Amino acid sequence: MDQQLEANTSDYVKGFIASLIITVIPFYCVWAKIFTEATTYAVLFGCAIVQIFVHFKYFLHMEAKSSEGKWNIVSLMFTSIVVLILIAGSVWIIYNMNINMKL
């Protein structure tokens, strides 16, 4: 039990340090204005994607090693698809309302 707790603690520490680094990089890029605007947006987007994967791996423990982990990933993909459909449908409806109402 202690070995499992120690492994989880080290994972949390690794995840925390990675999250801090991935958070500081975009803040520094924006604050120091070291890149062009487009490059800064690319760095922000890239760090956001990496941050998502760090949180999935170290804090949510989303790994496909076990059957439970595989089901977690399947449910995450299903939820992502539903959210994307809702967002795309909302944008489509709002766009069509704007065009058809001619305001």
Side-chain angles (χ1 to χ4, degrees):
M1 176 101 178
D2 290 333
Q3 189 177 16
Q4 183 182 8
L5 180 64
E6 185 177 317
N8 286 340
T9 305
S10 69
D11 281 346
Y12 285 123
V13 170
K14 289 176 192 175
F16 179 69
I17 292 171
S19 294
L20 280 178
I21 292 169
I22 296 168
T23 301
V24 168
I25 290 170
F27 273 98
Y28 180 75
C29 289
V30 170
W31 175 72
K33 297 179 183 175
I34 55 177
F35 298 124
T36 64
E37 187 174 332
T39 306
T40 302
Y41 284 136
V43 169
L44 290 173
F45 182 73
C47 286
I49 297 299
V50 172
Q51 187 82 269
I52 289 170
F53 286 115
V54 166
H55 280 94
F56 280 157
K57 179 172 177 27
Y58 291 110
F59 299 119
L60 297 176
H61 305 292
M62 299 281 285
E63 297 173 353
K65 292 179 183 175
S66 66
S67 68
E68 181 181 335
K70 290 177 185 175
W71 280 110
N72 285 339
I73 291 175
V74 168
S75 66
L76 174 71
M77 290 186 333
F78 176 74
T79 304
S80 300
I81 290 169
V82 169
V83 168
L84 286 174
I85 289 171
L86 284 171
I87 291 171
S90 297
V91 169
W92 182 28
I93 289 169
I94 291 170
Y95 175 76
N96 282 327
M97 289 287 289
N98 186 34
I99 295 299
N100 292 327
M101 296 295 286
K102 298 194 189 297
L103 294 177

XYZ file of all heavy atoms in Angstrom:
828
model
N 0.820 -1.191 0.000
C 0.000 0.000 0.000
C 0.862 1.252 0.000
O 0.571 2.204 -0.689
C -0.929 -0.042 1.219
C -1.765 1.171 1.372
S -3.403 0.819 0.768
C -4.190 2.343 1.097
N 1.945 1.242 0.793
C 2.811 2.416 0.849
C 3.500 2.663 -0.482
O 3.718 3.810 -0.863
C 3.868 2.246 1.951
C 3.249 2.325 3.343
O 2.192 2.987 3.471
O 3.816 1.746 4.284
N 3.863 1.582 -1.195
C 4.515 1.741 -2.487
C 3.561 2.359 -3.500
O 3.949 3.212 -4.286
C 5.024 0.394 -2.982
C 5.893 0.496 -4.215
C 6.427 -0.867 -4.620
O 5.927 -1.895 -4.185
N 7.445 -0.863 -5.458
N 2.283 1.941 -3.470
C 1.297 2.521 -4.376
C 1.062 3.989 -4.044
O 0.963 4.832 -4.931
C -0.013 1.750 -4.296
C -1.054 2.252 -5.271
C -2.359 1.483 -5.127
O -2.512 0.691 -4.209
N -3.273 1.744 -6.032
N 0.997 4.329 -2.759
C 0.815 5.716 -2.336
C 2.003 6.561 -2.755
O 1.847 7.684 -3.224
C 0.611 5.787 -0.827
C 0.405 7.179 -0.228
C -0.888 7.770 -0.780
C 0.359 7.110 1.270
N 3.216 6.005 -2.627
C 4.421 6.725 -3.025
C 4.450 6.970 -4.528
O 4.833 8.037 -4.986
C 5.663 5.939 -2.596
C 6.964 6.669 -2.855
C 8.154 5.884 -2.335
O 8.068 5.339 -1.227
O 9.161 5.827 -3.059
N 4.016 5.981 -5.306
C 3.969 6.146 -6.762
C 2.969 7.224 -7.135
O 3.230 8.047 -8.015
C 3.629 4.832 -7.437
N 1.813 7.239 -6.491
C 0.822 8.270 -6.777
C 1.320 9.648 -6.380
O 1.090 10.615 -7.086
C -0.496 7.962 -6.057
C -1.234 6.819 -6.715
O -0.990 6.494 -7.861
N -2.131 6.213 -5.959
N 2.008 9.735 -5.247
C 2.539 11.015 -4.805
C 3.582 11.529 -5.785
O 3.579 12.713 -6.128
C 3.155 10.885 -3.395
O 2.172 10.353 -2.506
C 3.622 12.214 -2.879
N 4.453 10.653 -6.250
C 5.469 11.103 -7.211
C 4.821 11.516 -8.530
O 5.274 12.459 -9.176
C 6.517 10.012 -7.441
O 5.957 8.924 -8.138
N 3.739 10.823 -8.927
C 3.019 11.234 -10.132
C 2.415 12.620 -9.959
O 2.455 13.444 -10.866
C 1.910 10.239 -10.471
C 2.436 8.992 -11.160
O 3.604 9.012 -11.601
O 1.671 8.016 -11.262
N 1.833 12.866 -8.785
C 1.242 14.181 -8.535
C 2.303 15.282 -8.545
O 2.075 16.366 -9.066
C 0.485 14.197 -7.210
C -0.837 13.485 -7.262
C -1.109 12.440 -6.397
C -1.803 13.851 -8.184
C -2.329 11.773 -6.452
C -3.016 13.190 -8.248
C -3.273 12.152 -7.380
O -4.475 11.499 -7.430
N 3.465 14.995 -7.980
C 4.543 15.993 -7.965
C 5.045 16.253 -9.379
O 5.243 17.407 -9.784
C 5.698 15.539 -7.037
C 6.917 16.428 -7.200
C 5.229 15.516 -5.591
N 5.224 15.178 -10.162
C 5.649 15.342 -11.561
C 4.619 16.155 -12.347
O 4.970 17.055 -13.115
C 5.826 13.982 -12.238
C 7.010 13.193 -11.786
C 7.004 11.837 -12.476
C 7.989 10.885 -11.867
N 7.884 9.543 -12.472
N 3.353 15.839 -12.153
C 2.288 16.565 -12.839
C 2.228 18.016 -12.425
O 2.030 18.917 -13.253
N 2.418 18.282 -11.136
C 2.400 19.656 -10.638
C 3.545 20.476 -11.228
O 3.336 21.604 -11.695
C 2.480 19.662 -9.108
C 2.494 21.034 -8.512
C 1.369 21.836 -8.559
C 3.639 21.524 -7.909
C 1.383 23.111 -8.015
C 3.670 22.791 -7.355
C 2.530 23.583 -7.408
N 4.733 19.896 -11.245
C 5.893 20.610 -11.802
C 5.707 20.835 -13.301
O 5.971 21.934 -13.809
C 7.199 19.841 -11.496
C 7.484 19.894 -9.988
C 8.370 20.405 -12.288
C 8.607 19.010 -9.528
N 5.228 19.820 -14.015
C 4.979 19.980 -15.456
C 3.919 21.044 -15.705
O 4.053 21.875 -16.610
C 4.555 18.648 -16.065
N 2.866 21.046 -14.896
C 1.811 22.054 -15.056
C 2.336 23.461 -14.805
O 1.967 24.402 -15.509
C 0.651 21.766 -14.107
O 0.016 20.575 -14.448
N 3.177 23.599 -13.794
C 3.759 24.923 -13.527
C 4.601 25.406 -14.698
O 4.480 26.566 -15.128
C 4.624 24.875 -12.265
C 3.897 24.934 -10.934
C 4.899 24.829 -9.792
C 3.098 26.199 -10.811
N 5.434 24.529 -15.230
C 6.293 24.912 -16.349
C 5.450 25.271 -17.568
O 5.687 26.285 -18.232
C 7.294 23.780 -16.664
C 8.302 23.639 -15.522
C 8.013 24.036 -17.984
C 9.162 22.405 -15.612
N 4.446 24.441 -17.846
C 3.603 24.669 -19.025
C 2.723 25.908 -18.839
O 2.275 26.501 -19.810
C 2.768 23.412 -19.324
C 3.694 22.266 -19.693
C 1.779 23.645 -20.442
C 3.011 20.916 -19.736
N 2.482 26.318 -17.610
C 1.722 27.539 -17.356
C 2.609 28.770 -17.454
O 2.181 29.818 -17.965
C 1.055 27.473 -15.967
O 0.209 26.339 -15.929
C 0.244 28.717 -15.689
N 3.828 28.674 -16.984
C 4.732 29.831 -16.966
C 5.181 30.203 -18.381
O 5.326 31.390 -18.692
C 5.946 29.540 -16.054
C 7.037 30.571 -16.226
C 5.496 29.484 -14.607
N 5.365 29.228 -19.243
C 5.848 29.500 -20.604
C 4.930 30.467 -21.357
O 5.412 31.488 -21.875
C 6.052 28.184 -21.386
C 7.242 27.419 -20.814
C 6.256 28.442 -22.871
C 7.384 26.010 -21.359
N 3.612 30.235 -21.432
C 2.760 31.197 -22.150
C 2.708 32.570 -21.480
O 2.693 33.592 -22.161
C 1.376 30.555 -22.145
C 1.583 29.140 -21.830
C 2.845 29.048 -21.062
N 2.683 32.581 -20.132
C 2.671 33.868 -19.440
C 3.914 34.670 -19.781
O 3.843 35.874 -20.032
C 2.571 33.670 -17.924
C 1.168 33.550 -17.435
C 0.611 32.311 -17.190
C 0.390 34.680 -17.213
C -0.683 32.187 -16.742
C -0.904 34.579 -16.756
C -1.451 33.331 -16.523
N 5.075 34.015 -19.799
C 6.310 34.717 -20.127
C 6.314 35.193 -21.583
O 6.754 36.309 -21.872
C 7.525 33.826 -19.859
C 8.818 34.519 -20.184
C 9.325 35.503 -19.351
C 9.517 34.219 -21.351
C 10.495 36.173 -19.655
C 10.688 34.877 -21.665
C 11.177 35.850 -20.814
O 12.330 36.507 -21.133
N 5.818 34.360 -22.492
C 5.777 34.738 -23.912
C 4.907 35.977 -24.125
O 5.262 36.866 -24.899
C 5.253 33.589 -24.764
S 6.406 32.213 -24.903
N 3.785 36.037 -23.434
C 2.895 37.197 -23.587
C 3.488 38.415 -22.896
O 3.474 39.527 -23.433
C 1.490 36.874 -23.031
C 0.628 38.120 -22.964
C 0.822 35.808 -23.883
N 4.025 38.231 -21.704
C 4.563 39.352 -20.927
C 5.785 39.970 -21.598
O 5.895 41.188 -21.709
C 4.916 38.858 -19.523
C 5.579 39.881 -18.673
C 5.011 40.987 -18.103
C 6.948 39.912 -18.302
N 5.949 41.680 -17.396
C 7.150 41.046 -17.498
C 8.035 39.075 -18.568
C 8.381 41.363 -16.962
C 9.253 39.408 -18.021
C 9.421 40.540 -17.239
N 6.711 39.141 -22.068
C 7.955 39.643 -22.644
C 7.809 40.042 -24.111
O 8.688 40.709 -24.655
C 9.058 38.595 -22.504
N 6.723 39.630 -24.763
C 6.491 39.920 -26.182
C 7.692 39.518 -27.034
O 8.188 40.288 -27.859
C 6.150 41.388 -26.384
C 4.882 41.800 -25.696
C 4.575 43.262 -25.889
C 3.321 43.616 -25.100
N 3.014 45.023 -25.127
N 8.148 38.277 -26.842
C 9.340 37.817 -27.548
C 9.026 37.255 -28.928
O 9.934 37.082 -29.734
C 10.110 36.768 -26.711
C 9.201 35.611 -26.322
C 10.716 37.386 -25.486
C 9.896 34.504 -25.559
N 7.759 36.953 -29.197
C 7.352 36.410 -30.487
C 6.358 37.346 -31.153
O 5.825 38.256 -30.533
C 6.692 35.034 -30.324
C 7.577 33.982 -29.731
C 7.188 33.302 -28.593
C 8.791 33.653 -30.306
C 7.989 32.321 -28.038
C 9.596 32.677 -29.764
C 9.208 32.005 -28.622
N 6.110 37.078 -32.427
C 5.045 37.814 -33.108
C 3.698 37.347 -32.540
O 3.616 36.359 -31.822
C 5.080 37.543 -34.630
O 4.810 36.156 -34.849
C 6.421 37.938 -35.227
N 2.647 38.066 -32.900
C 1.330 37.746 -32.358
C 0.877 36.338 -32.764
O 0.365 35.572 -31.938
C 0.313 38.782 -32.839
C -1.041 38.651 -32.207
C -1.977 39.772 -32.605
O -1.507 40.884 -32.901
O -3.191 39.518 -32.620
N 1.094 35.979 -34.022
C 0.685 34.655 -34.493
C 1.479 33.551 -33.798
O 0.918 32.514 -33.413
C 0.864 34.564 -36.008
N 2.764 33.747 -33.627
C 3.592 32.752 -32.948
C 3.196 32.628 -31.476
O 3.166 31.520 -30.928
C 5.080 33.128 -33.067
O 5.399 33.324 -34.442
C 5.972 32.050 -32.484
N 2.874 33.753 -30.857
C 2.437 33.718 -29.462
C 1.151 32.922 -29.322
O 1.005 32.119 -28.399
C 2.240 35.145 -28.916
O 3.469 35.869 -29.049
C 1.835 35.116 -27.455
N 0.203 33.123 -30.248
C -1.030 32.334 -30.224
C -0.733 30.847 -30.411
O -1.349 29.999 -29.768
C -2.009 32.805 -31.298
C -2.714 34.085 -30.947
C -2.858 35.086 -31.886
C -3.235 34.303 -29.681
C -3.505 36.274 -31.577
C -3.883 35.475 -29.362
C -4.025 36.469 -30.312
O -4.661 37.621 -29.997
N 0.204 30.533 -31.288
C 0.568 29.132 -31.508
C 1.175 28.523 -30.244
O 0.863 27.376 -29.882
C 1.536 29.019 -32.678
N 2.027 29.275 -29.566
C 2.625 28.790 -28.312
C 1.536 28.587 -27.258
O 1.531 27.578 -26.545
C 3.711 29.772 -27.811
C 4.145 29.442 -26.386
C 4.904 29.765 -28.742
N 0.608 29.541 -27.154
C -0.492 29.412 -26.196
C -1.326 28.163 -26.479
O -1.659 27.400 -25.573
C -1.389 30.651 -26.237
C -0.804 31.947 -25.684
C -1.747 33.099 -25.953
C -0.535 31.816 -24.213
N -1.675 27.962 -27.745
C -2.476 26.803 -28.132
C -1.713 25.505 -27.866
O -2.276 24.540 -27.331
C -2.862 26.903 -29.611
C -3.731 25.784 -30.080
C -5.059 25.709 -29.707
C -3.207 24.790 -30.893
C -5.864 24.664 -30.130
C -4.006 23.740 -31.322
C -5.332 23.680 -30.947
N -0.451 25.464 -28.227
C 0.361 24.265 -28.002
C 0.490 23.924 -26.525
O 0.349 22.762 -26.132
N 0.741 24.937 -25.711
C 0.851 24.703 -24.267
C -0.484 24.258 -23.673
O -0.514 23.444 -22.749
C 1.367 25.948 -23.562
S 3.126 26.244 -23.822
N -1.593 24.783 -24.196
C -2.913 24.362 -23.713
C -3.154 22.887 -24.013
O -3.660 22.151 -23.155
C -4.003 25.227 -24.337
N -2.785 22.451 -25.207
C -2.964 21.044 -25.570
C -2.087 20.149 -24.695
O -2.547 19.126 -24.168
C -2.650 20.822 -27.069
C -3.622 21.613 -27.946
C -2.665 19.344 -27.429
C -5.070 21.215 -27.776
N -0.840 20.536 -24.496
C 0.069 19.754 -23.642
C -0.457 19.729 -22.204
O -0.410 18.693 -21.529
C 1.502 20.318 -23.716
C 2.399 19.652 -22.695
C 2.070 20.143 -25.108
N -0.995 20.861 -21.743
C -1.545 20.939 -20.393
C -2.712 19.953 -20.210
O -2.838 19.306 -19.176
C -2.023 22.369 -20.121
C -2.455 22.639 -18.706
C -1.293 22.929 -17.796
O -0.761 22.007 -17.208
N -0.929 24.191 -17.676
N -3.545 19.833 -21.232
C -4.667 18.884 -21.175
C -4.141 17.464 -21.000
O -4.621 16.705 -20.149
C -5.538 19.001 -22.436
C -6.316 20.316 -22.421
C -6.482 17.818 -22.565
C -7.018 20.626 -23.727
N -3.141 17.092 -21.788
C -2.603 15.739 -21.692
C -1.899 15.496 -20.354
O -1.986 14.400 -19.796
C -1.658 15.438 -22.857
C -2.381 15.210 -24.150
C -2.224 16.084 -25.210
C -3.233 14.131 -24.298
C -2.906 15.888 -26.399
C -3.911 13.914 -25.483
C -3.746 14.800 -26.535
N -1.222 16.508 -19.823
C -0.579 16.368 -18.511
C -1.632 16.128 -17.434
O -1.473 15.251 -16.576
C 0.278 17.619 -18.184
C 0.664 17.659 -16.712
C 1.527 17.638 -19.045
N -2.728 16.877 -17.485
C -3.786 16.684 -16.492
C -4.435 15.316 -16.634
O -4.744 14.667 -15.627
C -4.832 17.793 -16.602
C -4.403 19.049 -15.925
N -3.777 20.066 -16.590
C -4.507 19.448 -14.641
C -3.511 21.040 -15.747
N -3.947 20.685 -14.547
N -4.661 14.872 -17.867
C -5.248 13.549 -18.064
C -4.345 12.464 -17.500
O -4.811 11.523 -16.875
C -5.516 13.271 -19.533
C -6.776 13.902 -20.057
C -6.923 14.154 -21.400
C -7.823 14.238 -19.225
C -8.072 14.725 -21.904
C -8.978 14.811 -19.704
C -9.108 15.050 -21.051
N -3.051 12.567 -17.749
C -2.136 11.507 -17.333
C -1.863 11.537 -15.832
O -1.996 10.516 -15.155
C -0.819 11.621 -18.091
C 0.184 10.548 -17.683
C 1.395 10.554 -18.555
C 2.472 9.587 -18.183
N 2.144 8.396 -17.494
N -1.486 12.675 -15.280
C -1.001 12.717 -13.908
C -2.093 12.950 -12.862
O -1.955 12.490 -11.727
C 0.072 13.796 -13.759
C 1.345 13.436 -14.479
C 1.749 14.116 -15.616
C 2.145 12.397 -14.027
C 2.911 13.778 -16.282
C 3.304 12.046 -14.685
C 3.689 12.752 -15.810
O 4.837 12.408 -16.463
N -3.156 13.668 -13.197
C -4.162 13.973 -12.190
C -5.434 13.149 -12.351
O -6.047 12.751 -11.368
C -4.497 15.468 -12.211
C -3.309 16.339 -11.910
C -2.850 17.242 -12.842
C -2.638 16.234 -10.707
C -1.750 18.035 -12.582
C -1.534 17.023 -10.437
C -1.089 17.923 -11.373
N -5.863 12.892 -13.578
C -7.063 12.096 -13.797
C -6.750 10.619 -14.023
O -7.652 9.797 -14.072
C -7.842 12.655 -14.991
C -8.359 14.076 -14.805
C -9.012 14.554 -16.086
C -9.324 14.155 -13.650
N -5.465 10.290 -14.182
C -4.996 8.909 -14.368
C -5.738 8.218 -15.513
O -6.207 7.091 -15.391
C -5.141 8.112 -13.075
C -4.465 8.749 -11.915
N -3.098 8.851 -11.820
C -4.971 9.355 -10.805
C -2.777 9.475 -10.696
N -3.903 9.793 -10.066
N -5.846 8.902 -16.639
C -6.516 8.353 -17.827
C -5.491 7.581 -18.646
O -4.831 8.135 -19.524
C -7.120 9.468 -18.674
C -8.164 10.291 -18.003
S -9.738 9.502 -17.939
C -10.265 9.687 -19.606
N -5.353 6.318 -18.347
C -4.414 5.464 -19.058
C -5.156 4.251 -19.583
O -6.058 3.732 -18.928
C -3.275 5.045 -18.133
C -2.448 6.234 -17.656
C -1.426 5.838 -16.614
O -1.452 4.675 -16.176
O -0.621 6.690 -16.245
N -4.790 3.774 -20.734
C -5.488 2.667 -21.387
C -4.880 1.312 -21.029
O -5.071 0.342 -21.744
C -5.468 2.875 -22.891
N -4.194 1.212 -19.913
C -3.556 -0.058 -19.546
C -4.569 -1.082 -19.046
O -4.401 -2.271 -19.242
C -2.493 0.184 -18.481
C -1.306 0.969 -18.988
C -0.307 1.202 -17.901
C 0.846 2.059 -18.404
N 1.771 2.411 -17.345
N -5.611 -0.620 -18.384
C -6.609 -1.544 -17.853
C -7.924 -1.390 -18.620
O -8.107 -0.451 -19.390
C -6.837 -1.275 -16.363
O -7.420 0.002 -16.196
N -8.838 -2.317 -18.395
C -10.132 -2.212 -19.078
C -10.911 -1.014 -18.559
O -11.645 -0.376 -19.312
C -10.941 -3.495 -18.891
O -11.334 -3.651 -17.552
N -10.750 -0.683 -17.281
C -11.407 0.512 -16.731
C -10.864 1.775 -17.392
O -11.612 2.695 -17.710
C -11.198 0.580 -15.220
C -11.881 1.776 -14.579
C -11.640 1.840 -13.082
O -11.386 0.792 -12.455
O -11.694 2.959 -12.550
N -9.561 1.824 -17.614
C -8.957 2.968 -18.283
C -9.434 3.116 -19.716
O -9.656 4.223 -20.196
N -9.613 1.986 -20.391
C -10.122 2.030 -21.774
C -11.541 2.578 -21.801
O -11.890 3.374 -22.668
C -10.068 0.635 -22.400
C -8.663 0.167 -22.686
C -8.636 -1.236 -23.238
C -7.184 -1.696 -23.394
N -7.086 -3.082 -23.806
N -12.374 2.161 -20.840
C -13.742 2.679 -20.789
C -13.756 4.163 -20.441
O -14.608 4.917 -20.922
C -14.591 1.886 -19.798
C -15.073 0.610 -20.384
C -14.680 -0.655 -20.057
C -16.028 0.467 -21.438
N -15.321 -1.566 -20.833
C -16.163 -0.912 -21.703
C -16.770 1.360 -22.195
C -17.022 -1.408 -22.667
C -17.623 0.865 -23.165
C -17.744 -0.493 -23.391
N -12.826 4.588 -19.607
C -12.732 6.016 -19.292
C -12.401 6.829 -20.541
O -12.958 7.904 -20.764
C -11.679 6.271 -18.212
C -12.145 5.858 -16.845
O -13.338 5.735 -16.586
N -11.199 5.624 -15.955
N -11.499 6.307 -21.353
C -11.116 7.014 -22.577
C -12.276 7.029 -23.571
O -12.538 8.038 -24.223
C -9.838 6.386 -23.178
C -8.656 6.692 -22.260
C -9.579 6.902 -24.588
C -7.368 6.049 -22.649
N -12.997 5.909 -23.674
C -14.156 5.857 -24.573
C -15.218 6.856 -24.123
O -15.800 7.580 -24.942
C -14.732 4.418 -24.644
C -16.083 4.400 -25.327
C -13.761 3.502 -25.355
N -15.482 6.921 -22.831
C -16.478 7.876 -22.337
C -16.011 9.313 -22.532
O -16.825 10.198 -22.827
C -16.806 7.611 -20.869
O -15.703 7.863 -20.047
N -14.707 9.567 -22.405
C -14.176 10.910 -22.665
C -14.357 11.284 -24.133
O -14.763 12.413 -24.446
C -12.699 10.969 -22.290
C -11.986 12.272 -22.644
C -12.459 13.396 -21.738
C -10.496 12.090 -22.559
N -14.090 10.342 -25.041
C -14.266 10.623 -26.470
C -15.733 10.880 -26.793
O -16.057 11.799 -27.552
C -13.712 9.477 -27.312
C -12.217 9.388 -27.271
S -11.421 8.165 -28.351
C -12.593 6.895 -28.580
N -16.648 10.089 -26.228
C -18.075 10.295 -26.456
C -18.508 11.670 -25.953
O -19.221 12.397 -26.643
C -18.888 9.195 -25.767
C -20.363 9.393 -25.870
C -21.016 9.161 -27.071
C -21.096 9.822 -24.777
C -22.392 9.349 -27.179
C -22.457 10.010 -24.871
C -23.109 9.775 -26.074
N -18.066 12.031 -24.754
C -18.409 13.339 -24.194
C -17.859 14.456 -25.066
O -18.550 15.464 -25.306
C -17.866 13.459 -22.764
O -18.375 12.381 -21.983
C -18.240 14.775 -22.133
N -16.641 14.302 -25.561
C -16.043 15.323 -26.431
C -16.841 15.488 -27.716
O -17.070 16.615 -28.173
C -14.596 14.956 -26.770
O -13.822 14.851 -25.611
N -17.289 14.379 -28.302
C -18.082 14.448 -29.532
C -19.404 15.153 -29.280
O -19.830 16.014 -30.061
C -18.288 13.037 -30.114
C -16.975 12.502 -30.661
C -19.360 13.035 -31.202
C -16.998 11.036 -31.030
N -20.063 14.825 -28.168
C -21.339 15.470 -27.842
C -21.144 16.966 -27.630
O -21.926 17.795 -28.122
C -21.992 14.803 -26.608
C -23.166 15.617 -26.097
C -22.426 13.388 -26.937
N -20.099 17.355 -26.926
C -19.835 18.776 -26.683
C -19.541 19.494 -27.996
O -20.032 20.606 -28.232
C -18.681 18.947 -25.672
C -18.191 20.385 -25.630
C -19.126 18.508 -24.283
N -18.751 18.886 -28.872
C -18.466 19.507 -30.166
C -19.727 19.657 -31.013
O -19.915 20.684 -31.677
C -17.411 18.687 -30.925
C -15.987 18.814 -30.407
C -15.064 17.846 -31.143
C -15.484 20.229 -30.540
N -20.608 18.648 -30.982
C -21.867 18.751 -31.720
C -22.710 19.893 -31.157
O -23.297 20.676 -31.915
C -22.632 17.408 -31.676
C -21.908 16.375 -32.538
C -24.075 17.583 -32.139
C -22.455 14.963 -32.389
N -22.782 20.014 -29.838
C -23.557 21.089 -29.224
C -22.997 22.466 -29.585
O -23.753 23.387 -29.920
C -23.587 20.925 -27.704
C -24.511 19.852 -27.171
C -24.290 19.639 -25.684
C -25.957 20.229 -27.430
N -21.684 22.608 -29.537
C -21.069 23.895 -29.862
C -21.261 24.224 -31.333
O -21.661 25.342 -31.684
C -19.573 23.894 -29.477
C -19.428 23.867 -27.960
C -18.859 25.116 -30.055
C -18.009 23.653 -27.488
N -20.996 23.262 -32.218
C -21.150 23.494 -33.658
C -22.602 23.802 -33.998
O -22.888 24.713 -34.796
C -20.657 22.293 -34.448
N -23.537 23.078 -33.406
C -24.952 23.338 -33.658
C -25.379 24.707 -33.175
O -26.141 25.410 -33.850
N -24.887 25.113 -32.019
C -25.223 26.438 -31.494
C -24.688 27.543 -32.392
O -25.390 28.522 -32.684
C -24.665 26.601 -30.081
O -25.248 25.671 -29.204
N -23.437 27.387 -32.837
C -22.847 28.391 -33.731
C -23.620 28.442 -35.044
O -23.897 29.524 -35.580
C -21.346 28.099 -33.967
C -20.787 28.955 -35.079
C -20.570 28.314 -32.683
N -23.992 27.293 -35.572
C -24.752 27.221 -36.820
C -26.110 27.905 -36.666
O -26.528 28.699 -37.517
C -24.919 25.757 -37.223
C -25.644 25.529 -38.512
C -25.707 26.364 -39.597
C -26.392 24.373 -38.862
N -26.450 25.787 -40.594
C -26.886 24.566 -40.163
C -26.687 23.190 -38.209
C -27.662 23.618 -40.814
C -27.450 22.249 -38.854
C -27.935 22.464 -40.149
N -26.810 27.639 -35.589
C -28.113 28.257 -35.353
C -27.976 29.770 -35.202
O -28.745 30.538 -35.787
C -28.786 27.636 -34.114
C -29.221 26.207 -34.430
C -29.978 28.462 -33.653
C -29.661 25.420 -33.209
N -26.998 30.212 -34.436
C -26.808 31.645 -34.234
C -26.451 32.320 -35.556
O -26.946 33.413 -35.869
C -25.726 31.896 -33.161
C -26.253 31.468 -31.792
C -25.305 33.357 -33.135
C -25.196 31.437 -30.711
N -25.597 31.698 -36.363
C -25.229 32.263 -37.661
C -26.451 32.380 -38.570
O -26.680 33.417 -39.194
C -24.149 31.401 -38.322
C -23.800 31.847 -39.714
C -22.995 32.972 -39.914
C -24.272 31.156 -40.823
C -22.683 33.388 -41.192
C -23.963 31.571 -42.102
C -23.159 32.683 -42.283
O -22.855 33.100 -43.542
N -27.239 31.303 -38.646
C -28.433 31.334 -39.498
C -29.455 32.354 -39.007
O -30.107 33.022 -39.814
C -29.071 29.944 -39.585
C -28.327 29.040 -40.536
O -27.776 29.512 -41.536
N -28.298 27.766 -40.233
N -29.617 32.476 -37.708
C -30.536 33.476 -37.162
C -30.059 34.888 -37.543
O -30.861 35.751 -37.901
C -30.640 33.356 -35.648
C -31.377 32.137 -35.174
S -33.128 32.259 -35.449
C -33.561 33.479 -34.255
N -28.761 35.096 -37.479
C -28.205 36.408 -37.824
C -28.435 36.734 -39.289
O -28.824 37.841 -39.648
C -26.705 36.447 -37.485
C -26.108 37.811 -37.693
O -26.764 38.828 -37.489
N -24.861 37.835 -38.108
N -28.214 35.761 -40.163
C -28.418 35.972 -41.600
C -29.892 36.174 -41.929
O -30.259 37.074 -42.678
C -27.844 34.768 -42.404
C -26.334 34.687 -42.243
C -28.219 34.855 -43.870
C -25.564 35.886 -42.744
N -30.754 35.334 -41.381
C -32.179 35.383 -41.737
C -32.930 36.541 -41.089
O -33.927 37.005 -41.645
C -32.853 34.056 -41.377
C -32.358 32.924 -42.241
O -32.029 33.121 -43.406
N -32.263 31.749 -41.670
N -32.478 37.004 -39.945
C -33.173 38.113 -39.295
C -32.736 39.459 -39.870
O -33.443 40.443 -39.726
C -32.903 38.089 -37.776
C -33.456 36.872 -37.073
S -35.238 36.768 -37.106
C -35.662 38.006 -35.942
N -31.558 39.495 -40.490
C -31.006 40.700 -41.117
C -31.026 41.902 -40.172
O -31.520 42.963 -40.495
C -31.742 41.009 -42.410
C -31.619 39.915 -43.438
C -32.066 40.392 -44.792
C -32.152 39.259 -45.771
N -30.939 38.588 -46.066
N -30.459 41.704 -39.004
C -30.420 42.792 -38.027
C -29.172 43.628 -38.192
O -28.135 43.364 -38.356
C -30.498 42.227 -36.615
C -31.818 41.560 -36.293
C -31.754 40.967 -34.889
C -32.952 42.563 -36.337
